[in-house]
Amino acid sequence: MTQAFDIAVVGAGMVGAALATGLGRNGFRVALIDFADAPEFVPGSTPDIRVSALSAGSERYLQNLKAWDTVLAMRATPYRRLAVWDQSSHPLTRLLPKPLARVEFNANKLGASHLGHIVENSVTQAALWQAAITQPNITLMPGVAVTNLIQNNNHAQLDLDNATAITATLVVGADGAQSRMRDLAGIGVTRSQYDQQAMVMSVRYRGAVEDITWQGFLPSGPRAFLPLHTAGEEFPGESWGSLVWYDAPARLAQLKAMPTEQLMAEIQQGFPQQLPELTHIDTRASFPIARQHAKHYYQNRVVLAGDAAHTINPLAGQGVNLGFQDAQCLQQLLIVARNNSTDLADPALLSQYENQRRPANRRMMLAMDAFYHLFSNRVPPLHLLRNLGLGAAQALPFARNRVARYAMGLD
Ligand SMILES: Cc1cc2nc3c(=O)[nH]c(=O)nc-3n(C[C@H](O)[C@H](O)[C@H](O)COP(=O)(O)OP(=O)(O)OC[C@H]3O[C@@H](n4cnc5c(N)ncnc54)[C@H](O)[C@@H]3O)c2cc1C
């Protein structure tokens, strides 16, 4: 027999699992489908190569979903300071005072305990799966892929690769940047690939867990440091961290193929001096980075959320924070629709979702683009302009605090 649901969420990554949990907690009958198996957290394991800076706004959302305490019980590292500076030098800016090229946000000055947390993606996902499992009206379907979509006036049917099918009033495509649901629904994307890629490395460094995450900008791309948890008794006095090296694909391919000792030397030369002393490089992986936006957020009974709808340059770490905002917005609208006995795939409702989320996502996309173009060049006037911009942000507490509150997901 074909099982019937109110909502089928395809993709149980951070965004899909969060949305399904929220909907389940609000009484919807939800199917949560992912072609991967259930994520597992192993205490004492080396960190997941994929980590995200979760804003205070995302933390609050995960608290509402009863997943945040599970995240904290696994592993999460608060950061209290965030610094950004221009690492390149030019004769013109050498004449300017040094602090002008740097801006630092500090939780103390905002009356907050922290600005956000660095969390391994698999930890956030595992905590959300655990929260979803506790909801009796959520049916989790790990290790299952959707093979076909049929839509009619009353519901959508999803054929699955385990030779079964389900129906749902609404299908959410939360299956990431290469979304199969987006393709099945016939929704196109606009996409532009950046010249840079991101190479991420899990490393150990000497010293206690840092309370700062920072990014130094070079014309070839930024270099970023994100603190992770302590390395424990096995490596006393050491901590884990994540490094991101943005550069041209050919350069990153070269770095990725290097023996560890040589890579260590390249990092010492290529990263700002603020980098703590590294003792070990664990894993490395590179990711293509692209700006991608779905041409529509919905089509008939399929609606998109998270990376399936939009991907942005990760240089300010906002991708999943935007996805969580999509999920919250969609959940609120679906609750109103159910209370008004409206079809959950009513075009008026789904266009309201798109009207609220598209401009916000686009704004962040354009801001990241502006950052990328302003910093990834050697043109002297732009060099001066970005230094003056950083200097102004540092000198004007009001502007600095507004930016910080926005980045923290509080405004
Ligand atoms: C280098 C880098 C650094 C980043 N840093 C940050 C950061 O600091 N902060 C931040 O907010 N964001 C960051 N991001 C972005 C963030 O990782 C993404 O925005 C986020 O992972 C998107 O979550 P999602 O759930 O929408 O998609 P995904 O994480 O891609 O999850 C999609 C899920 O769908 C499943 N799936 C895929 N296809 C199918 C299918 N056909 N059928 C069934 N299941 C399917 C997958 O198994 C997966 O579980 C970064 C990205 C990169 C590349």
Side-chain angles (χ1 to χ4, degrees):
M1 207 180 78
T2 308
Q3 261 188 296
F5 295 91
D6 298 320
I7 298 160
V9 179
V10 180
M14 294 185 280
V15 174
L19 176 61
T21 304
L23 293 171
R25 289 173 60 81
N26 280 283
F28 291 95
R29 288 169 307 143
V30 182
L32 179 56
I33 303 166
D34 201 296
F35 62 17
D37 287 326
E40 214 188 331
F41 172 72
V42 181
S45 56
T46 54
D48 180 5
I49 185 84
R50 295 162 314 146
V51 306
S52 295
L54 298 186
S55 68
S58 293
E59 175 183 330
R60 211 164 42 196
Y61 173 49
L62 295 178
Q63 266 165 359
N64 291 337
L65 297 177
K66 305 280 178 246
W68 185 246
D69 286 347
T70 318
V71 167
L72 292 182
M74 292 181 193
R75 288 195 298 228
T77 308
Y79 59 94
R80 298 181 175 82
R81 294 178 297 141
L82 183 156
V84 176
W85 61 85
D86 192 351
Q87 184 70 21
S88 56
S89 64
H90 184 272
L92 264 179
T93 45
R94 264 186 233 133
L95 302 173
L96 300 171
K98 241 207 152 27
L100 207 57
R102 186 180 196 276
V103 63
E104 181 174 313
F105 304 99
N106 192 322
N108 285 343
K109 295 195 177 141
L110 291 157
S113 61
H114 55 272
L115 297 174
H117 279 78
I118 311 294
V119 191
E120 296 154 71
N121 290 5
S122 56
V123 165
T124 306
Q125 198 193 7
L128 284 164
W129 277 56
Q130 284 189 22
I133 285 166
T134 62
Q135 295 302 315
N137 43 343
I138 298 181
T139 304
L140 261 161
M141 300 183 179
V144 172
V146 175
T147 54
N148 195 28
L149 164 76
I150 302 163
Q151 305 200 59
N152 65 32
N153 286 342
N154 303 314
H155 61 250
Q157 178 177 316
L158 296 176
D159 295 338
L160 308 176
D161 68 351
N162 58 6
T164 62
I166 60 166
T167 62
T169 311
L170 180 70
V171 176
V172 181
D175 48 350
Q178 315 296 330
S179 173
R180 171 101 171 109
M181 283 321 302
R182 193 180 61 218
D183 291 346
L184 286 172
I187 301 174
V189 294
T190 53
R191 178 184 164 89
S192 59
Q193 183 89 29
Y194 291 98
D195 294 337
Q196 292 169 5
Q197 287 189 357
M199 178 164 123
V200 183
M201 291 166 276
S202 301
V203 297
R204 278 202 315 272
Y205 60 90
R206 210 177 295 288
V209 174
E210 300 251 345
D211 73 344
I212 186 167
T213 178
W214 51 252
Q215 186 144 242
F217 284 87
L218 285 156
S220 56
R223 311 280 185 269
F225 167 80
L226 297 88
L228 293 172
H229 49 282
T230 165
E233 287 169 9
E234 208 184 334
F235 304 102
E238 295 187 22
S239 306
W240 286 102
S242 177
L243 305 183
V244 193
W245 184 322
Y246 295 84
D247 215 314
R251 172 70 171 138
L252 293 187
Q254 200 186 33
L255 292 168
K256 225 165 77 170
M258 272 177 194
T260 306
E261 266 178 35
Q262 199 183 344
L263 177 60
M264 192 78 100
E266 291 283 350
I267 292 172
Q268 263 148 18
Q269 235 190 353
F271 265 70
Q273 63 181 28
Q274 284 79 351
L275 183 69
E277 184 194 344
L278 300 189
T279 54
H280 174 71
I281 301 173
D282 199 70
T283 37
R284 38 185 128 157
S286 62
F287 300 87
I289 51 178
R291 190 183 91 177
Q292 181 172 285
H293 213 167
K295 288 186 179 158
H296 310 281
Y297 278 21
Y298 65 95
Q299 194 279 326
N300 203 351
R301 293 188 174 274
V302 177
V303 62
L304 305 176
D307 272 24
H310 46 78
T311 62
I312 63 168
N313 192 318
L315 63 79
Q318 290 297 327
V320 76
N321 295 308
L322 291 181
F324 284 154
Q325 288 167 21
D326 293 348
Q328 291 170 83
C329 173
L330 189 56
Q331 179 186 310
Q332 276 166 12
L333 291 169
L334 288 170
I335 291 170
V336 173
R338 190 208 29 214
N339 293 346
N340 295 339
S341 303
T342 310
D343 181 356
L344 298 179
D346 181 9
L349 164 99
L350 298 180
S351 77
Q352 230 179 315
Y353 166 67
E354 177 157 359
N355 290 342
Q356 287 184 33
R357 292 307 305 152
R358 179 180 285 281
N361 292 328
R362 191 174 144 72
R363 242 189 336 265
M364 187 62 84
M365 232 173 231
L366 295 179
M368 291 311 102
D369 252 16
F371 256 103
Y372 172 79
H373 291 295
L374 188 59
F375 282 92
S376 300
N377 68 75
R378 296 172 203 276
V379 183
L382 287 182
H383 186 97
L384 186 63
L385 182 71
R386 66 194 183 223
N387 277 265
L388 291 173
L390 289 175
Q394 181 64 25
L396 300 168
F398 174 72
R400 192 170 72 235
N401 293 349
R402 282 297 297 271
V403 172
R405 287 185 63 79
Y406 187 61
M408 288 166 75
L410 299 178
D411 282 347

